[in-house]
Each structure stands twice: as C-alpha cells, then as structure tokens.
Amino acid sequence: MTVLLLSFFVCLVGCNQQNSAAPTPNLPVVTVAKPVTKQIVEWDAYTGRLEAIDFVEIRARVSGYLKTTHFDEGQIVNKGDLLFIIDPRPYQAELNGARASLSQANSQLIQAKAQLEEAKAQYQQSEAQLVLSTAQLNRARSLKSKNVTTQDELDQQEAAYLQAKADHEASQAGISSAKATIETAHAVIEAAKAGIDTAQLNLDYTRIYAPVAGRISRKNVSEGNLINGGTTNSSLLTTITSVKPIYCNFDANEQDVLKYIRSAQAGKRASSREAKNPVFLGLIDETGFPHQGHMDFVDNRFDPDTASMRARCVFPNKDQVLIPGMFARIRIPGSDSYNAVLIPDSAVGTDQSSQYVYHVVDDIVQRRIVKLGPIVDGLRVVREGLSGSESLIIEGLLQARPEMKVTSQPGTIEVVEDGLPDSYEPLPPEQWISPDPDPLPQSGTQKVTSVDEPQGDSQ
C-alpha cells in the first residue's frame, strides 16, 4: 500500500512539472516596404501676401467745386476713362485772360517795331542835318579866318552844329530804345504763351481721367464739395488697384537665401535674380496650387529688423480670383530636379543626437543613421543613409530593437501627389508676365503730353 502511494505521488509531481514548462515566445511582427525612389524637385514653402502692381491715389491737381462723377464704384475702369469733372469756369476765364494778354503783347510788339522804324527815320534825318551843320560850320570858320563873316554868324553855326550832333545822338538812343522795347515785347509774348499753357493745363486738370486700368474704389468726395488740389494736402477722391497681373511678396531667411546662392554658384539652380523660375500659388480654400506664375524680383539687402530678404513673384490672374491683401501659399523651386529616396515619417526614429530608421536583413533588425530633407508628395526626403533597396520598417517601429529577430510582413508606401511638377525650367521671355519698364525719353528730354490727351493724377 505504501509503495502504491509513493508511485502515485511521483507521477503527480512529474505531470505538474511538465504542465508548468514556459511556452516558446512569438517573434514581433513588423511591416516592411522598400523606400520610394523617384525624380523630384524640392519645392520650398512660403506664405506670401498679394499686392497690386499699380495702386494709384486719385487726387485733384487744381482746386474747385466737384461738379460730376462718371464711374460705378467698385467696378473695373480702363486707362483714360473719365472719372471726375471739377467746375471748369474759373479756369476757362483764366485761359481767356491769358489769351487776351497774348493779344496785348502782340500789339505791343507791333507798336515797338513801328517805333523802331520811326527811330531809324529820325536817325537818317539827324545824320543828314549833322552833315549839313558840319559843312556850314567849316565854311563859317573859313570865312571868319578871312574876316568875311562876323563872329556872331560863326557862333550861330557852331550852335547849329552842336544841336545837330545832339539830335543825331538822340536818334541813335531812340533806335536802341525801340530795339529794347521789341525785346521786351517778345518776352511779354513768351510769358503770355506760358500763361496760356498753364491756364490750358489747369483747365485740362478739371477733367480727371484714370491713369491706369484696374478696379476703382468708392468716391470719397460727393458732388458740390470744394476740393483742395495741387498741394501735399490735396483731396483724395478715390483709388484704383490693378487686377491683372498681380504681385505676391514673401520673405526668405538668411539660411534659405544662402542655399539659393550656393546652388546658383554650383550650377544646380538658376538664380531668381537672373532667371524667371516658376512659382505655384494656392489660396486658403484651394486644394493644391492651381495658380502658376514666375519670380519677378529679389531685393538687394536683408531687412535688419527681421533678418529676411524680400522677394516677389507675379501671376497672370486672368480670372481675377487673386485680390490684393490676401494671404497665399506659394511654392518656389528649392533645388534642381534629381532622383530621391522617399520614406514616411512613421519610419523615422529620433534620439538625442540623430535620426535613424530600422531595416530588416534576414529577419534581423538593423539600425541606420539617416539625414533627412523636406517633405515631397507626402513623404520625407532622405538625403543620406539609404539607397532605396532596403526593407524598411514602416509599422511596428516601437517593437523593434537593433539585432532583434522579427517576423516581417509586406506593406506599401503611398505617394500623395501634391500637384507640383517633378522637373522645371526657367520660363522663356515670351512667357514672362512682368510689366515692362517705361521707354527712355527721346533725345534725352521728356516727352510733353499734349493738352488733348487724358490727364490723371498718380501722386
């Protein structure tokens, strides 16, 4: 009986030991995929503000009462459209007075010329009288030396000679005076002509035309009000902003500007100072970047307050959706086109000194240090560390450790296209939309605007 109990106890202990043995642990399961390799352009992101190419404050050049208004507020006006009329009657009266002054100056010129002819005739008469008096005086002196004539007769001839000589000199002075009067009349005529031009300009300025095409604002002055014009405090009547094309200003920091400079020096990316690089723009309610333009201007210095440099791009704005003052998302090329390795951010780990990824080789996890770039098409650019052939862990990164054995399952890396091209070229001149500068004046002088041409104010 004792032997049977002992045997049962031994059997029970052995069975319990077999049941309590630990099971073999399961390997961690991770999802792996090869990085995406494709041709890309690194499009740098900026936030810009839209600005009209032309913004004109319409102010009067002459003072007077506002007579009429000839535009619909908030609508598009064309260059040369009539906007306002100031009461022209005072300026018409000034023009009539200036014309009368010219007529008077012409009459004075005619009178001065007649005086000159009269002075010339008197000069000829006095010259003949002087010749006669000289001959008579010489004869009288000869006779007196022979005691043929008296001293009284000689004195009379000498007096007549002196009178003829004085008359001759007076006639010469009369000619000079007449010539001076003619010169004065010419000057008065030129002054009268200048007065007519000034009066005509002032009369023309009573009709205010649109100096540029664009969208006009509301009128700031109602009809019947007195307008102050031609001074620094001239009345602001309204404003006009051009609508197409349109500018977009943005600021780049020193690091980005130096990157562009180094790329241009290395021949990898044309400088936007010299080339019209393409630019893409999107508004706050738009998906992607549907508006395409090009670089237009890069400033010549950094702002000392913000340590940034102002740059500008231009867009055609044919549909007039872009409005001055709006904020916009813009993308400019930050690199040339090249083949890049792209991975999702979920595959990237970070420690205190570096960024890394895990890839699987023969079911063993390997750690790889990487240098990352910007996001393109929803994926992170890998500048250094990957060739694109690795089996990268994209899910289960927290379960893996270097040199750990894992179970891999295949996955995919999705590319989210952002609508931006994978290559670009600077725009050729025929596609430029930047406004052309004004032509140089001919012969080194500025062309005078005809009084018949529309006049506007762009102060």
Side-chain angles (χ1 to χ4, degrees):
M1 184 65 179
T2 303
V3 176
L4 291 174
L5 290 175
L6 182 60
S7 300
F8 177 77
F9 178 76
V10 171
C11 181
L12 181 62
V13 172
C15 291
N16 290 335
Q17 289 179 348
Q18 292 179 359
N19 292 334
S20 62
T24 303
N26 295 325
L27 298 178
V29 179
V30 294
T31 302
V32 298
K34 289 187 177 182
V36 175
T37 303
K38 61 174 298 189
Q39 185 179 19
I40 67 164
V41 172
E42 295 179 10
W43 294 94
D44 291 348
Y46 292 96
T47 298
R49 183 183 286 274
L50 296 171
E51 177 186 346
I53 291 180
D54 294 317
F55 175 76
V56 183
E57 293 182 344
I58 305 299
R59 300 180 186 269
R61 294 188 179 183
V62 293
S63 300
Y65 286 94
L66 182 60
K67 185 178 180 181
T68 54
T69 303
H70 300 276
F71 64 89
D72 293 330
E73 296 175 310
Q75 301 303 310
I76 297 294
V77 296
N78 296 317
K79 183 178 181 180
D81 286 353
L82 179 63
L83 304 179
F84 299 97
I85 294 180
I86 299 172
D87 187 4
R89 291 175 295 178
Y91 300 99
Q92 183 65 55
E94 289 182 3
L95 178 60
N96 294 337
R99 288 171 176 170
S101 298
L102 178 61
S103 298
Q104 183 180 7
N106 286 325
S107 299
Q108 292 175 352
L109 177 61
I110 294 174
Q111 184 179 3
K113 289 181 178 180
Q115 292 175 353
L116 177 62
E117 295 299 325
E118 182 180 359
K120 287 181 178 179
Q122 290 178 356
Y123 174 78
Q124 292 177 354
Q125 183 179 2
S126 64
E127 187 176 19
Q129 185 64 36
L130 178 61
V131 171
L132 177 62
S133 297
T134 301
Q136 290 176 347
L137 177 61
N138 291 333
R139 188 180 303 112
R141 287 174 177 173
S142 177
L143 293 175
K144 181 64 176 65
S145 64
K146 298 177 182 180
N147 293 322
V148 177
T149 184
T150 63
Q151 183 64 39
D152 183 56
E153 291 180 352
L154 178 59
D155 293 340
Q156 291 180 355
Q157 293 299 326
E158 288 180 349
Y161 169 76
L162 293 176
Q163 181 64 42
K165 185 176 181 181
D167 292 341
H168 184 264
E169 292 176 352
S171 63
Q172 286 181 332
I175 291 177
S176 299
S177 176
K179 290 182 177 180
T181 304
I182 290 176
E183 294 298 325
T184 301
H186 280 300
V188 173
I189 288 175
E190 294 301 321
K193 289 180 179 180
I196 290 177
D197 292 339
T198 301
Q200 183 67 60
L201 281 176
N202 290 334
L203 180 61
D204 292 337
Y205 290 155
T206 61
R207 302 172 70 88
I208 301 175
Y209 298 88
V212 297
R215 190 172 299 278
I216 197 166
S217 182
R218 66 181 182 87
K219 62 180 181 180
N220 296 326
V221 181
S222 299
E223 293 81 354
N225 283 292
L226 180 63
I227 294 174
N228 183 25
T231 66
T232 56
N233 297 322
S234 297
S235 302
L236 177 62
L237 303 180
T238 187
T239 59
I240 300 176
T241 58
S242 60
V243 293
K244 54 180 182 180
I246 191 170
Y247 287 143
C248 184
N249 295 318
F250 64 95
D251 296 315
N253 58 38
E254 291 185 16
Q255 183 177 358
D256 289 340
V257 172
L258 286 174
K259 181 183 71 171
Y260 302 142
I261 293 175
R262 304 304 183 198
S263 297
Q265 290 176 342
K268 296 180 179 180
R269 175 189 179 274
S271 172
S272 293
R273 295 185 186 276
E274 303 171 356
K276 304 295 186 182
N277 289 320
V279 182
F280 295 87
L281 180 147
L283 298 177
I284 190 172
D285 65 337
E286 293 176 334
T287 301
F289 304 89
H291 307 277
Q292 182 175 359
H294 62 73
M295 291 296 299
D296 176 72
F297 160 79
V298 178
D299 210 345
N300 59 0
R301 61 186 290 270
F302 279 93
D303 188 331
D305 296 328
T306 62
S308 62
M309 181 176 289
R310 176 60 55 91
R312 185 177 69 199
C313 42
V314 61
F315 298 87
N317 196 26
K318 294 181 180 179
D319 54 4
Q320 301 182 18
V321 172
L322 306 179
I323 300 175
M326 280 183 170
F327 284 102
R329 300 172 292 112
I330 61 175
R331 298 292 185 269
I332 70 172
S335 70
D336 58 342
S337 180
Y338 68 97
N339 289 322
V341 177
L342 306 177
I343 63 175
D345 279 340
S346 61
V348 180
T350 304
D351 57 22
Q352 294 182 350
S353 61
S354 62
Q355 293 175 308
Y356 61 89
V357 295
Y358 288 151
H359 67 104
V360 179
V361 179
D362 297 331
D363 293 333
I364 302 297
V365 177
Q366 300 291 333
R367 187 173 185 267
R368 183 79 60 88
I369 301 297
V370 292
K371 182 178 179 181
L372 303 179
I375 292 180
V376 176
D377 292 337
L379 301 176
R380 182 70 62 178
V381 175
V382 180
R383 299 196 186 279
E384 297 178 4
L386 295 178
S387 64
S389 61
E390 296 85 357
S391 295
L392 196 67
I393 297 179
I394 60 174
E395 294 182 11
L397 187 69
L398 298 178
Q399 305 177 39
R401 294 292 182 271
E403 305 303 328
M404 176 186 290
K405 189 170 184 179
V406 294
T407 300
S408 303
Q409 63 180 11
T412 58
I413 298 177
E414 295 184 359
V415 177
V416 181
E417 296 289 345
D418 54 12
L420 299 175
D422 296 329
S423 63
Y424 75 94
E425 292 290 340
L427 273 66
E430 59 270 15
Q431 297 182 14
W432 293 357
I433 53 179
S434 299
D436 295 327
D438 294 332
L440 295 174
Q442 297 180 357
S443 302
T445 58
Q446 186 174 2
K447 179 182 177 182
V448 178
T449 304
S450 172
V451 295
D452 296 329
E453 294 179 359
Q455 301 294 321
D457 188 19
S458 58
Q459 296 178 355

